Amino acid sequence: MKRHAALWLLWLALASTLLAPAAADVALQAQTSRVSLDGALEHFQDPSRSLSFQAVRGQDFQRLPGYRSLGYGDANHWFRAQVGYTPSAPSRWILAIGNPELEEVDVWVELHDGGFDHHAMGYYRPYEERPLQTRLFAVPFDAFEGAHIYIRVRSNNAINVHADIWQPAAFSAYQTRDNFYRGLYFGVLLISVFLYAILGARLRDIPMAAYAGYLASLVLFHLGTNGYLPMLLGNYAAWLTDTLPRIGWLGGAVAIVLMWDKLLDLKRHYLFIHRLYWFTLLLNLALLPFALLPSLVTAWLLVVVKLANVLNSVNFLLGMAVALTLWRRSRRIELMLYFFAFIIPAIGALVNTATNQGILPQNMLTANLYQAASLVHVLVMSFGMALRLRQLQRDKASAEQEAAIATQRTEEQRRFVAMLSHEFRNPLAAIDRSVQMIQLKAPGLMPSEAQRLAGIRNNTATLSSLVDNFLLVERLEHQGVASARKPCRIRALLESIVSQQAETEAQRVHLSVYPDDLSCELDDTLIAAALGNLLDNALRYSPAGSEIRIQALRDETGLRIQVIDHGPGLDDEALAKLGTPYFRAETSLGKKGSGLGYHFTQRIVQAHDGKLYAHSGQGKGLTVEVVLPWGQTPYGV
């Protein structure tokens, strides 16, 4: 009998346990300021995205053991929790839901009469329509025993749904603290942006300016992921709320590629990586218009976006490898600082990705590691940039010292050349006068002796011309040219220059001036010296007996004077070096010359605000053109 009674009591206890209502998931008590729904949420997935709230209430929900992301997908995700309530607890509570960047968050809170109060929120939904205008999705509600809460999430981001129930005063205090700490984070970033932007502009340093752009992109990106853009922009800038994080992402990729390229001097050390970086930079810039106009995005463009993301990742790895390689070569500490500065946020990004994929659980560390890593990154990178700034200052001081030494040496050399050239003048003049006296007093010399005297005079004239060129170059380089312009008849000027040549050489020159009475304001002494040098070069380097043409005409740009010969011409490399002091092309081998004639011709033309051009083809002769502006109304018009 006793045995049957015991079995009966055991059955009653089991039946009462099975038939009793389920205990509430969350207990709200008077002393409770915050209750986490971690471990209390049930989940149901609707891949069709078509089930209504009423239809979902009858579905089987599965208990989530803890708070962990459900990864990415386009399904509707439903969450349910039941609230327990003690009579001593306050009736008014606040349900706060994160992640702040979820696109659509719908909340149904059960009322006392069995109905449900619906709230539609989300990152892209009007901010002003939120029940509480905070960065989180917050809903005030009246709690009672057994009240149910349903949450539906639609998002292209990771399904990170964590929820807490707060007493209003505690929630307000939490928001104040949270916004203060996050404000400090953004304040550090913004100060760094302005600091590096100013330094980059003042020092004309591309890496610092690019790093400022990278930090600015971090600001935009984290303003979006932390839910502050809807708060700052409100309902009047939904387009900006969507666009600014994308601009931040692409702009950051552009800035970091440019920074690494210049910081590591990839063009000099690794040309292939330099070209890959610039290809990636241009690709990210090309995607910016689509970030501004998302309606233009198509399936093929998404493939390009994925390619750009892959290239950005590859560039990051290459940049780290190059930084390490260059550090091993030079042992420059700033290179190692750059390496660690970017490895730290990379680890934070990996943890953030693993958390979004559901590989790691969501907690205080994994939720905030990426932003904390960004702050550590700024501190380490600032130390590296400070070392770079110190090195730039040292290089500048060294360059200024070297420039001062070079200027001093140049001045000493100039004085020596001027002194030497001046000392050469008198002996050369004496030699020339002595030869002239011999020729006058001994007219009956043998032809061979007369030829030797003529050779002495020619060589003396060559040396005198060389001295004059040295002195003129010194004047052009160090004293400048003050041209005394006056009206000048171009034909008379050109005929005077031709007449200074030997009779046989002058006969080779064909002169044409259009119109014949063409005149212009210029310094006839300087221009005569410049054109005389061009004519000497044309006669010297062209075949004997070949024609030299000098053409002068006017057009809308000004006065054009061309000297055209039929010599061997110059190749592109020689043309590029033409005008460099003492430069002589290979075609001048065996010819007399100092390599200064074209140079000081160029300076004289520049003193007249004109331009000097040279055109040639190998073996097709050389055409040198002087273009002088009219300045005032031309004469002879």
Side-chain angles (χ1 to χ4, degrees):
M1 186 68 180
K2 292 180 179 180
R3 181 180 177 183
H4 289 290
L7 291 173
W8 175 253
L9 291 174
L10 179 61
W11 182 86
L12 285 177
L14 182 60
S16 63
T17 302
L18 294 173
L19 297 175
D25 297 323
V26 179
L28 303 181
Q29 302 176 4
Q31 68 273 18
T32 303
S33 60
R34 168 186 174 270
V35 176
S36 173
L37 296 186
D38 185 12
L41 288 175
E42 297 177 314
H43 173 251
F44 170 74
Q45 183 172 331
D46 173 22
S48 67
R49 300 168 59 105
S50 61
L51 294 179
S52 64
F53 170 63
Q54 296 299 330
V56 166
R57 290 182 62 191
Q59 301 294 327
D60 292 330
F61 281 70
Q62 301 294 322
R63 174 79 62 172
L64 293 175
Y67 172 49
R68 190 179 290 259
S69 172
L70 299 174
Y72 296 86
D74 56 0
N76 282 351
H77 291 265
W78 292 81
F79 302 89
R80 181 177 67 186
Q82 189 177 9
V83 176
Y85 179 78
T86 58
S88 61
S91 60
R92 197 65 170 173
W93 295 80
I94 293 176
L95 172 67
I97 304 167
N99 194 325
E101 57 178 340
L102 297 171
E103 283 93 339
E104 294 184 14
V105 178
D106 291 273
V107 179
W108 287 265
V109 180
E110 189 172 6
L111 303 175
H112 288 277
D113 59 4
F116 283 85
D117 191 13
H118 175 226
H119 300 276
M121 299 170 290
Y123 186 82
Y124 294 133
R125 286 174 169 174
Y127 179 76
E128 286 76 7
E129 295 180 8
R130 296 185 185 184
L132 294 177
Q133 295 185 4
T134 66
R135 71 181 191 89
L136 301 177
F137 306 117
V139 175
F141 71 99
D142 292 322
F144 59 91
E145 180 63 32
H148 285 87
I149 297 173
Y150 288 85
I151 304 170
R152 181 182 66 187
V153 173
R154 294 179 180 177
S155 180
N156 291 322
N157 294 303
I159 309 300
N160 277 334
V161 179
H162 55 95
D164 300 294
I165 297 178
W166 297 80
Q167 286 197 27
F171 180 72
S172 177
Y174 163 73
Q175 285 292 293
T176 301
R177 291 193 304 272
D178 185 59
N179 288 329
F180 173 75
Y181 292 129
R182 294 180 189 275
L184 285 179
Y185 168 76
F186 287 111
V188 170
L189 287 185
L190 286 174
I191 291 174
S192 301
V193 168
F194 288 114
L195 174 64
Y196 286 112
I198 293 172
L199 286 175
R202 289 182 61 87
L203 300 176
R204 297 181 180 178
D205 187 59
I206 294 178
M208 287 192 177
Y211 185 60
Y214 169 71
L215 293 180
S217 74
L218 281 184
V219 172
L220 288 178
F221 181 72
H222 287 302
L223 282 175
T225 57
N226 284 274
Y228 284 108
L229 282 181
M231 293 178 62
L232 296 174
L233 300 175
N235 192 35
Y236 302 101
W239 173 73
L240 281 176
T241 303
D242 183 24
T243 301
L244 288 180
R246 298 181 183 180
I247 294 177
W249 182 262
L250 292 172
V254 169
I256 206 67
V257 164
L258 183 60
M259 186 200 77
W260 276 119
D261 180 68
K262 299 299 182 181
L263 203 60
L264 302 177
D265 197 6
L266 293 178
K267 187 176 183 180
R268 181 164 65 95
H269 293 111
Y270 298 96
L271 184 59
F272 173 77
I273 299 178
H274 164 75
R275 291 172 177 171
L276 177 64
Y277 268 44
W278 275 89
F279 174 78
T280 308
L281 184 149
L282 295 175
L283 181 61
N284 282 294
L285 284 177
L287 291 174
L288 272 177
F290 299 97
L292 298 173
L293 298 171
S295 59
L296 299 178
V297 176
T298 58
W300 67 267
L301 186 64
L302 293 177
V303 176
V304 177
V305 172
K306 292 179 180 179
L307 173 63
N309 289 334
V310 170
L311 288 177
N312 290 331
S313 301
V314 170
N315 289 340
F316 171 77
L317 296 176
L318 288 174
M320 296 295 98
V322 171
L324 279 179
T325 302
L326 295 179
W327 173 78
R328 291 182 62 183
R329 293 178 184 173
S330 63
R331 298 295 177 178
R332 289 167 50 198
I333 187 62
E334 62 268 28
L335 292 172
M336 186 56 67
L337 289 173
Y338 301 152
F339 175 81
F340 282 115
F342 279 91
I343 284 294
I344 292 170
I347 294 173
L350 287 176
V351 171
N352 184 66
T353 301
T355 304
N356 288 338
Q357 294 287 358
I359 300 172
L360 296 177
Q362 181 87 9
N363 52 43
M364 182 66 69
L365 176 63
T366 58
N368 298 291
L369 182 61
Y370 186 37
Q371 291 185 207
S374 298
L375 284 180
V376 177
H377 157 82
V378 171
L379 294 176
V380 177
M381 194 66 184
S382 296
F383 188 26
M385 285 295 189
L387 293 178
R388 173 181 171 79
L389 180 60
R390 185 178 67 176
Q391 187 61 44
L392 289 176
Q393 291 174 336
R394 288 178 176 176
D395 292 344
K396 181 180 179 182
S398 177
E400 290 176 348
Q401 184 178 7
E402 291 178 359
I405 294 174
T407 301
Q408 182 180 359
R409 289 176 178 175
T410 302
E411 182 65 19
E412 292 174 354
Q413 184 180 21
R414 181 190 67 81
R415 291 174 182 174
F416 174 75
V417 170
M419 181 270 296
L420 193 63
S421 300
H422 183 269
E423 293 300 322
F424 276 179
R425 280 179 173 272
N426 293 333
L428 290 174
I431 292 172
D432 188 60
R433 287 195 299 270
S434 297
V435 173
Q436 289 185 57
M437 291 299 295
I438 293 173
Q439 289 176 330
L440 290 174
K441 292 184 178 181
L445 290 174
M446 296 177 61
S448 59
E449 295 174 341
Q451 186 177 1
R452 288 179 181 179
L453 291 177
I456 292 173
R457 291 203 65 191
N458 287 336
N459 289 328
T460 302
T462 300
L463 286 174
S464 297
S465 176
L466 186 60
V467 169
D468 290 340
N469 284 344
F470 271 118
L471 293 176
L472 182 56
V473 168
E474 188 274 334
R475 179 187 173 199
L476 291 170
E477 295 292 344
H478 301 282
Q479 300 177 10
V481 176
S483 59
R485 305 188 190 188
K486 60 183 180 181
C488 178
R489 297 286 179 180
I490 302 304
R491 175 173 285 278
L493 174 66
L494 297 178
E495 288 176 346
S496 173
I497 295 170
V498 174
S499 66
Q500 295 176 15
Q501 303 295 326
E503 183 177 357
T504 56
E505 298 296 319
Q507 292 175 354
R508 296 171 54 190
V509 180
H510 177 75
L511 181 64
S512 63
V513 179
Y514 181 81
D516 191 65
D517 59 348
L518 181 62
S519 297
C520 185
E521 279 190 352
L522 46 80
D523 187 320
D524 57 348
T525 302
L526 290 176
I527 291 296
L531 295 176
N533 270 283
L534 296 181
L535 180 58
D536 286 341
N537 288 339
L539 291 169
R540 183 181 302 121
Y541 296 116
S542 58
S546 63
E547 182 184 72
I548 305 297
R549 285 188 294 152
I550 300 180
Q551 301 176 168
L553 55 88
R554 70 162 183 258
D555 60 15
E556 64 279 359
T557 61
L559 172 66
R560 292 180 176 272
I561 302 175
Q562 293 181 335
V563 179
I564 307 169
D565 65 44
H566 295 84
L570 298 174
D571 57 21
D572 293 339
E573 182 179 358
L575 282 174
K577 296 180 180 179
L578 200 60
T580 304
Y582 310 110
F583 168 74
R584 304 191 72 202
E586 293 181 358
T587 54
S588 64
L589 294 178
K591 304 287 187 179
K592 295 181 179 181
S594 62
L596 293 172
Y598 192 91
H599 172 68
F600 75 72
T601 297
Q602 191 175 50
R603 295 302 302 270
I604 290 173
V605 172
Q606 290 173 351
H608 284 76
D609 301 319
K611 295 183 182 298
L612 187 64
Y613 302 99
H615 312 279
S616 178
Q618 194 70 28
K620 298 181 180 178
L622 180 68
T623 299
V624 181
E625 183 176 36
V626 176
V627 180
L628 302 176
W630 288 120
Q632 300 178 0
T633 303
Y635 292 83
V637 176

